[in-house]
Amino acid sequence: SSLHKPTNTSITLLLMSTLKISDGVVKDEVLVLGLASTNSKGGIAIEAGDMAIDTKTILSQLVDMGATGKADEVTKLPGSHVRLLVFTGLGKKSANYTHETLRRAAGSASRALAGNSAATFSLPAKNLAEVAAVAEGAALGAYSFTEFRGSTKDDHKAPLKTITVHSKLAASSEAKAAVVRAAVIAKYTYLVRDLINTPPSHLTPDSFTKKLAAVVKSAGGAKSGLKIQIWDEKQLKTQGFGGIIGVGQGSANPPRLLHISYTPKGKAAKRYAFVGKGITFDTGGLALKPAAGMEAMKSDMSGAAAVSAAVIAIAELKLNVAIESWAPLAENMPSDTATRPSDIITIFGGKTVEVLNPDAEGRLVLADGLMKAQSSKNKLDGIIDVATLTGAQVIALGTRTSAVMTNNQEFSNDFLQVAAQCGEQFWPMPLPEELRASLDSPVADLANIGDRMGGMLVAGLFLKDFVNPELPWLHLDIAGPAYNEAKPHGYTPVGGTGIALRSLVTLA
Ligand code: BES
Ligand code: MN
Ligand code: ZN
């Protein structure tokens, strides 16, 4: 499909111009194959999938190059039939590589191929689900963010434009559907990453809504079952969104609430609400964060980006589920108009909160979002919030594993299974009742901070106060995994990762 350029915005959905499956002769100049390690003494084996390869001379060249076949190792050799042979590490040789192993190996290779225009991937994928994993990984690895480069733009090699997955299953209609799905997943993951990487100078609550409105339009708008609604600061104030107003009132860039809904053509099998934290920059407000590392807080709208992109992706895939996404958007700034510690705000629906720490702002905008999402007349089957909510999440689970908290074990188990299937690492965390008392306030219905120990769980317990106990609910804390400040790996670049998008779409 074509390059998307929504009108009047600066967001570009960079989609590889082609993603396809073929069982024919390799026409590209670049061929990507797998490489596995066979023993601890440096033994290696080429894993070429459905491609017949004369491996003898190549193997000795790979040994000379020091290739070991470990994950994230990419070795390039000049080819004879093709210009370049690229070997991507699969780790230990196996009869059954996991989807995630294939996804990451394909992603590492496509990252390493920036500057080339087209490549054919032939990895050990035996069935369609494995072929789909290769396609998805290759597409997700072909990402770059150069929008704000000026004089150094040309120093950066463009990502792969055409990705072909070689498989003897190419002829089936299911193969075509798998490629369409991989392309949609990649396109909307790119959107999430672009939004996260865009700095607060260029991404405000208002411009976030405008960019998404343009994407909804380019995805077909009402024709595709998509509807969009935006609340400005005046409407938020008169309609009682005290959380969003309280967090946003210190900033010159006023807050917004963005609602995107998708209604399928037939009768929807289920209806879910997604609510994403949309802090376009989190300075901590009057509880100002230290300067070191504050720049990463441009990623504090990752939840809002994930839920907004997910609902559009779900519409583009024409899935038979109704989705209502909500993105409460605000910039958390310190100023003479900012919320002060001890201020009391009223969340949508009437509960009051004593703001003891204006840096615990995510839960305030989410409380408004959760309450509004549950006030709609349509009966929900489940509600999921997604947020870069706590530093405690990163302390507990590290930078690559997100947390799931819930009021419904079955919903959580289903989600965890789906997340594992699409290669997103999530882990269940409890909501211990005894921690709730630490959120009691002497003057309001509750306070916005409680015990420091178990801070991720305390934040989850705060949100639980704003969810109907009968409604299955998941709280996803993606604070660490949303933004990669370390090295790129597999299909994951530096910066915005796009985490949660795939799980939400796959769940739907
Ligand atoms: N946006 C931060 C959480 C965060 C931290 C996300 C690190 C990504 C990386 C959130 O708004 C925050 O500041 N949370 C506070 C809560 C505390 C004041 C109870 C925190 O975790 O320190
Ligand atoms: Mn904060
Ligand atoms: Zn925050």
Side-chain angles (χ1 to χ4, degrees):
S1 50
S2 62
L3 213 65
H4 275 240
K5 253 210 172 126
T7 47
N8 75 34
T9 81
S10 51
I11 273 280
T12 313
L13 292 192
L14 281 169
L15 178 62
M16 66 294 310
S17 42
T18 325
L19 178 62
K20 55 192 179 194
I21 302 189
S22 155
D23 57 0
V25 199
V26 177
K27 297 196 195 78
D28 293 327
E29 293 189 341
V30 181
L31 176 60
V32 179
L33 304 171
L35 190 69
S37 68
T38 54
N39 58 40
S40 55
K41 295 189 213 77
I44 49 173
I46 293 173
E47 293 275 29
D50 293 342
M51 185 92 57
I53 292 282
D54 179 11
T55 59
K56 229 168 119 204
T57 49
I58 302 173
L59 265 177
S60 71
Q61 285 175 315
L62 284 167
V63 171
D64 288 345
M65 294 293 289
T68 66
K70 67 172 188 277
D72 258 321
E73 175 193 88
V74 176
T75 310
K76 295 176 187 167
L77 293 180
S80 47
H81 298 289
V82 293
R83 178 170 58 82
L84 192 63
L85 283 170
V86 181
F87 294 88
T88 187
L90 293 161
K92 255 183 80 185
K93 187 173 162 59
S94 162
N96 286 299
Y97 295 99
T98 67
H99 292 178
E100 184 60 2
T101 297
L102 295 170
R103 224 180 257 116
R104 290 186 188 182
S108 294
S110 72
R111 262 195 307 109
L113 284 170
N116 293 274
S117 81
T120 294
F121 288 67
S122 189
L123 297 182
K126 298 180 302 306
N127 54 47
L128 261 176
E130 293 174 7
V131 172
V134 172
E136 194 174 281
L140 290 172
Y143 173 80
S144 74
F145 185 71
T146 54
E147 195 179 329
F148 295 95
R149 289 190 180 277
S151 58
T152 61
K153 202 158 205 147
D154 295 340
D155 307 352
H156 284 259
K157 294 176 183 158
L160 268 182
K161 279 193 237 4
T162 305
I163 290 165
T164 303
V165 180
H166 184 88
S167 164
K168 63 183 181 208
L169 302 169
S172 67
S173 63
E174 291 94 332
K176 293 203 179 70
V179 165
V180 167
R181 184 182 185 279
V184 168
I185 290 284
K187 178 163 106 179
Y188 289 99
T189 300
Y190 289 8
L191 171 63
V192 178
R193 291 174 181 173
D194 284 353
L195 288 164
I196 296 170
N197 293 334
T198 303
S201 50
H202 292 73
L203 188 76
T204 61
D206 183 58
S207 76
F208 186 111
T209 65
K210 291 193 168 113
K211 284 172 197 284
L212 267 296
V215 178
V216 163
K217 200 172 159 198
S218 75
K223 279 204 310 298
S224 306
L226 286 165
K227 264 199 256 160
I228 182 165
Q229 205 178 339
I230 297 159
W231 283 254
D232 67 17
E233 71 274 26
K234 284 195 209 84
Q235 296 163 317
L236 289 170
K237 198 157 198 172
T238 56
Q239 293 173 35
F241 292 91
I244 302 173
I245 290 292
V247 173
Q249 72 189 30
S251 171
N253 300 308
R256 294 287 182 266
L257 174 63
L258 169 67
H259 176 41
I260 306 174
S261 68
Y262 162 62
T263 314
K265 290 262 152 61
K267 189 184 177 298
K270 296 266 184 213
R271 175 179 296 274
Y272 293 110
F274 299 160
V275 184
K277 171 177 174 181
I279 302 301
T280 52
F281 196 74
D282 183 10
T283 64
L286 288 174
L288 193 61
K289 287 180 183 293
M294 199 200 277
E295 67 280 1
M297 285 301 115
K298 73 173 179 179
S299 67
D300 214 18
M301 32 52 68
S302 299
V307 302
S308 307
V311 61
I312 307 172
I314 289 165
E316 199 153 319
L317 292 169
K318 301 186 171 64
L319 303 185
N320 190 34
V321 237
I323 307 286
E324 304 187 4
S325 83
W326 298 90
L329 297 153
E331 187 177 58
N332 191 19
M333 295 289 276
S335 79
D336 58 336
T337 60
T339 293
R340 294 144 295 232
S342 82
D343 276 356
I344 295 176
I345 61 175
T346 304
I347 300 299
F348 187 87
K351 254 191 204 179
T352 60
V353 177
E354 183 187 14
V355 181
L356 293 177
N357 188 329
D359 196 13
E361 84 297 339
R363 60 197 75 181
L364 303 176
V365 302
L366 284 172
D368 269 348
L370 286 165
M371 290 301 293
K372 180 66 183 170
Q374 293 167 95
S375 77
S376 109
K377 55 189 180 307
N378 299 316
K379 195 182 172 310
L380 295 172
D381 294 296
I383 189 164
I384 303 177
D385 75 72
V386 187
T388 48
L389 204 60
T390 64
Q393 185 281 321
V394 199
I395 303 289
L397 292 172
T399 53
R400 294 197 195 173
T401 304
S402 303
V404 187
M405 284 149 271
T406 189
N407 62 1
N408 184 304
Q409 216 49 61
E410 207 183 315
F411 193 25
S412 175
N413 291 345
D414 286 351
F415 178 84
L416 286 164
Q417 209 178 328
V418 161
Q421 181 192 323
C422 50
E424 294 195 322
Q425 288 170 255
F426 279 86
W427 200 253
M429 282 289 164
L431 292 172
E433 262 322 308
E434 70 275 13
L435 291 180
R436 172 60 184 79
S438 70
L439 288 165
D440 285 344
S441 161
V443 288
D445 295 336
L446 72 168
N448 79 327
I449 56 166
D451 273 357
R452 204 173 70 84
M453 299 298 171
M456 164 171 56
L457 319 179
V458 173
L461 283 163
F462 178 95
L463 296 177
K464 194 179 176 196
D465 254 52
F466 298 89
V467 178
N468 172 356
E470 306 293 309
L471 177 62
W473 160 66
L474 303 179
H475 162 49
L476 311 182
D477 194 336
I478 59 168
Y483 192 68
N484 179 16
E485 294 186 79
K487 289 209 161 46
H489 56 90
Y491 52 80
T492 305
V494 167
T497 63
I499 198 76
L501 179 282
R502 294 210 304 281
S503 293
L504 294 174
V505 174
T506 308
L507 182 75

